[in-house]
């Protein structure tokens, strides 16, 4: 019995032991299953949160997206793109976009939105069909700068043909293809570049000839623009004095220029140099004064200068001989005695020297010189004169006989350096025309101006008379170049900027 119980007891225990093992296995699998489910739940929640934050929806049964993601539109470009531009001068210009314009009146420091251009600027707007294609062309479009008077376009740029447009520009260490370029002067230029970022709508500007570029026209650019405007104004002012645009161009591009390059005793020569400095001439030093975009001085060719070639900078001045006639005059003993009163003569000379010692450091005239009086030439310039049989010297002026009271005109614009009654020359006027050039009017019956007055070419400054050492009503007229008398015939209906040059 005991064995059976044992057997029965053993048989009954065996199945119980198997169930217990399977239960234990199920208990061990439950945590793994819970972990898997938990991960799936967390993952699904995370995906939902991501889609929600990204503006999307939740996955649909058919694999698509529902909600905002299904309706989301492509993002627009980050920046507004400029189509084309034009600067009409150093201050004014415009940029065209597909939806309007921007204009500037201060060189690009500020821009104003507008849907149409002012009439003053619209003239530079090409037809819409001429706008650069999207993405830019293979080579940049070059825009012409504003027009100057015909033949004077070179004033803006020293040598435009020698500076072909660049294909790229560098900005903040990166190179950008240029799609449109406008060079205004040697220093100032503007450009549009091909860019998908913020530069797409910017007008780039350079103030150093393209060495560096800026996306904004700051104060440094404005300073450069102001300096260029002043320089251009000076260039135009000087260029207008030459006989032609071609002569002006030659002058601007020459290191040295002599006008004329061939002269005779009694003449004057205008010297232009590209830099400041001094010139040594016949034992004297003449300082080159700034004017326009060059430096100038007159050289007087005294009656004692011998024929030959004289180097002036990299040029050669040729002096040729000139023959002057002889004149014989007879005067009364009373008049002859006037020439002996050296004390009064010297006192007057001090006044004259003081008046001619100061000259405006610029050319005060803009037009050719005119003959000051309608009269008959009685004594040409340079005559060797004998008075009562005695050598008196050379007559370094011209005498124009006219009725007393005939109006006398200013030969050109100037400032009255002296208007006074002098012993030998009677009522006299000296006009300063700048740069050491003076005109003299003597023996007047009346003075219509006073020292310090400004006069214009053709103004009536006095009347013909016979005061001082004079044999009859006439005008004694001459020029002084750095206190050396010069032949008036060289000036009449001309100007120093036109000496020796013929208009092509």
């Amino acid at each position: 019995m005991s064995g059976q119980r044992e057997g029965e007891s053993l048989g009954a225990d065996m199945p119980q032991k198997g169930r217990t093992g399977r239960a234990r296995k199920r208990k061990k699998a439950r945590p793994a299953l819970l972990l898997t489910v938990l991960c799936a739940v967390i993952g699904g929640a995370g995906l939902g949160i991501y889609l929600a934050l990204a503006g999307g929806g939740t996955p649909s049964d058919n694999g698509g997206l529902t909600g905002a993601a299904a309706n989301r539109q492509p993002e627009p470009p980050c920046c507004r793109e400029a189509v084309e531009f034009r600067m009409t001068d150093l201050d004014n210009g415009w940029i065209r976009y597909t939806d309007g314009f921007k204009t500037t009146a201060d060189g690009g420091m500020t821009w104003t939105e507008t849907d149409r251009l002012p009439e003053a600027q619209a003239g530079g707007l090409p037809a819409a069909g001429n706008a650069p294609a999207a993405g830019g062309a293979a080579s940049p479009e070059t825009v012409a700068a504003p027009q100057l008077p015909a033949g004077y376009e070179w004033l803006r740029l020293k040598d435009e043909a020698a500076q072909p447009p660049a294909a790229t520009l560098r900005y903040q260490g990166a190179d950008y293809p240029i799609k449109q370029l406008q060079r205004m002067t040697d220093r100032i230029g503007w450009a549009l570049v091909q860019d998908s970022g913020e530069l797409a709508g910017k007008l780039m500007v350079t103030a150093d000839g393209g060495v560096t570029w800026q996306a904004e026209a700051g104060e440094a650019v404005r300073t450069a623009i102001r300096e260029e405007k002043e320089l251009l104004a000076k260039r135009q002012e000087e260029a207008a004095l030459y006989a032609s645009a071609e002569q002006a161009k030659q002058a601007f591009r020459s290191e040295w220029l002599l006008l004329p390059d061939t002269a005779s005793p009694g003449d004057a020569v205008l010297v232009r140099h590209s830099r400041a400095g001094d010139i040594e001439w016949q034992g004297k030093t003449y300082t080159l004064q700034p004017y326009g975009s060059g430096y100038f001085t007159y050289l007087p060719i005294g009656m004692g200068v011998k024929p030959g070639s004289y180097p002036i900078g990299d040029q050669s001045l040729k002096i040729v001989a000139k023959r002057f006639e002889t004149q014989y005059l007879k005067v009364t003993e009373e008049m002859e005695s006037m020439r002996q009163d050296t004390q009064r003569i010297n006192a007057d000379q001090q006044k004259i020297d003081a008046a001619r010692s100061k000259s405006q450091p610029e050319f005060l005239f803009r037009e050719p010189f005119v003959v000051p009086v309608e009269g008959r030439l009685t004594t040409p310039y340079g005559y060797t004169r004998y008075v009562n049989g005695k050598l008196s010297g050379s007559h370094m002026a011209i005498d124009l006989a006219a009725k007393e009271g005939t109006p006398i005109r200013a030969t050109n614009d100037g400032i009255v350096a002296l208007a006074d009654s002098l012993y030998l020359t009677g009522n006299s006027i000296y006009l300063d025309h700048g740069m050491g050039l003076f005109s003299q009017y003597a023996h007047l019956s009346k003075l219509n101006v006073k020292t310090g007055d400004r006069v214009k070419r053709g103004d009536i400054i006095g009347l013909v008379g016979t005061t001082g050492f004079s044999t009859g009503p006439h005008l004694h007229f001459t020029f002084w170049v750095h206190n050396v008398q010069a032949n008036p015939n060289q000036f009449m209906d001309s100007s120093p900027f036109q000496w020796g040059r013929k208009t092509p």
Side-chain angles (χ1 to χ4, degrees):
M1 290 293 292
S2 60
Q4 187 176 0
R5 290 190 188 98
E6 289 178 0
E8 291 175 354
S9 172
L10 178 62
D13 290 339
M14 287 295 289
Q16 184 66 33
K17 184 176 181 180
R19 290 192 298 269
T20 302
R22 287 193 297 271
R24 288 175 179 171
K25 287 181 181 179
R26 287 195 296 270
K27 288 181 180 180
K28 290 180 179 180
R30 286 171 186 166
L33 179 60
L34 290 174
L35 181 60
T36 301
V37 172
L38 180 60
C39 288
V41 171
I42 293 174
L47 177 60
I49 293 172
Y50 169 78
L51 291 174
L53 291 176
T58 58
S60 64
D61 293 338
N62 60 6
L65 291 177
T66 62
N71 299 320
R72 187 172 56 186
Q73 300 297 319
E75 292 185 4
C78 75
C79 302
R80 184 185 189 191
E81 182 178 2
V83 176
E84 62 181 330
F85 81 96
R86 180 68 54 85
M87 294 299 294
T88 56
D89 55 38
L90 285 166
D91 288 320
N92 300 283
W94 49 262
I95 305 174
R96 182 165 73 88
Y97 299 87
T98 56
D99 58 349
F101 295 88
K102 283 184 180 180
T103 61
T104 183
D106 56 12
M109 287 195 72
T110 59
W111 293 90
T112 302
E113 291 279 356
T114 180
D115 57 356
R116 62 182 300 175
L117 291 179
E119 186 175 347
Q121 296 194 39
L125 179 62
N130 294 332
S139 59
E141 176 192 357
T142 300
V143 180
Q147 291 294 314
L148 289 167
Y152 290 91
E153 294 83 2
W154 51 269
L155 283 172
R156 294 182 298 98
L157 301 165
K158 289 182 179 178
D159 194 353
E160 189 168 11
Q163 302 181 50
T168 62
L169 63 79
R170 177 165 284 266
Y171 175 66
Q172 293 185 348
D175 292 325
Y176 294 87
I178 298 174
K179 66 179 182 181
Q180 191 177 353
L181 174 68
Q182 182 180 3
R183 295 174 60 226
M184 187 71 70
T185 71
D186 292 316
R187 294 173 63 187
I188 308 299
W190 285 272
L192 291 180
V193 299
Q194 299 176 26
D195 182 48
S196 59
E198 64 177 8
L199 295 187
K202 294 285 189 179
L203 183 59
M204 308 297 289
V205 60
T206 181
D208 54 16
V211 177
T212 60
W213 289 85
Q214 308 297 326
E216 304 289 344
E219 191 56 41
V221 172
R222 283 303 302 157
T223 298
I225 288 177
R226 183 172 59 252
E227 292 171 350
E228 287 296 278
K229 288 166 66 176
E230 293 173 354
L231 177 59
L232 185 58
K234 289 179 179 179
R235 286 177 176 175
Q236 289 180 285
E237 185 178 25
E238 179 190 342
L241 296 176
Y242 294 93
S244 68
E246 190 59 35
Q247 290 176 15
K249 185 176 181 179
Q250 177 189 358
F252 277 60
R253 297 186 177 179
S254 299
E255 186 77 7
W256 290 88
L257 182 68
L258 307 180
L259 295 172
D261 55 13
T262 300
S264 299
D267 290 345
V269 174
L270 180 63
V271 180
R272 184 191 192 275
H273 187 31
S274 60
R275 297 188 300 273
D278 297 321
I279 297 178
E280 298 295 328
W281 173 251
Q282 298 294 301
K284 293 185 178 181
T285 301
Y286 297 93
T287 299
L288 291 156
Q289 299 283 349
Y291 180 81
S293 61
Y295 297 83
F296 296 83
T297 191
Y298 291 106
L299 296 183
I301 313 301
M303 297 298 281
V305 177
K306 297 180 179 180
S309 294
Y310 297 83
I312 305 292
D314 62 5
Q315 300 292 302
S316 180
L317 175 60
K318 184 179 180 181
I319 302 299
V320 296
K322 187 174 184 178
R323 182 175 177 272
F324 296 98
E325 301 293 335
T326 300
Q327 182 186 48
Y328 297 89
L329 289 179
K330 288 186 178 181
V331 299
T332 63
E333 292 184 3
E334 181 181 359
M335 289 188 63
E336 177 66 18
S337 65
M338 290 181 63
R339 296 158 52 85
Q340 311 307 317
D341 193 341
T342 57
Q343 184 175 355
R344 294 187 65 180
I345 294 173
N346 290 338
D348 283 348
Q349 192 61 49
Q350 289 181 7
K351 292 182 182 180
I352 296 169
D353 290 344
R356 295 200 308 253
S357 66
K358 298 178 181 179
S359 180
Q360 294 296 308
E362 61 179 313
F363 298 101
L364 298 179
F365 55 87
R366 299 292 179 270
E367 300 178 83
F369 289 75
V370 297
V371 179
V373 70
E374 296 180 7
R376 177 173 56 89
L377 178 64
T378 57
T379 308
Y381 178 87
Y383 264 31
T384 300
R385 176 175 279 180
Y386 288 82
V387 177
N388 290 346
K390 297 178 182 179
L391 179 63
S392 175
S394 296
H395 183 254
M396 309 298 287
I398 60 173
D399 286 343
L400 297 169
K403 291 183 179 180
E404 187 161 350
T406 300
I408 297 172
R409 299 179 296 169
T411 186
N412 218 325
D413 297 358
I415 299 174
V416 179
L418 180 66
D420 203 353
S421 177
L422 305 177
Y423 180 56
L424 284 181
T425 57
N427 291 327
S428 302
I429 296 172
Y430 287 85
L431 294 184
D432 175 21
H433 301 289
M435 296 291 199
L437 176 66
F438 293 82
S439 57
Q440 177 190 354
Y441 313 76
H443 308 301
L444 281 62
S445 62
K446 182 181 179 182
L447 302 175
N448 287 357
V449 294
K450 61 182 183 300
T451 300
D453 286 349
R454 282 187 172 268
V455 299
K456 303 294 290 183
R457 186 181 78 149
D459 285 353
I460 304 302
I461 58 175
L463 305 177
V464 169
T466 185
T467 55
F469 186 79
S470 171
T471 59
H474 74 287
L475 173 65
H476 175 97
F477 177 67
T478 194
F479 283 89
W480 294 80
V481 175
H482 294 305
N483 291 320
V484 177
Q485 287 167 298
N487 191 343
N489 296 317
Q490 187 182 9
F491 292 82
M492 295 300 95
D493 299 321
S494 183
S495 86
F497 287 86
Q498 302 172 16
W499 288 341
R501 305 289 176 180
K502 295 182 179 180
T503 303

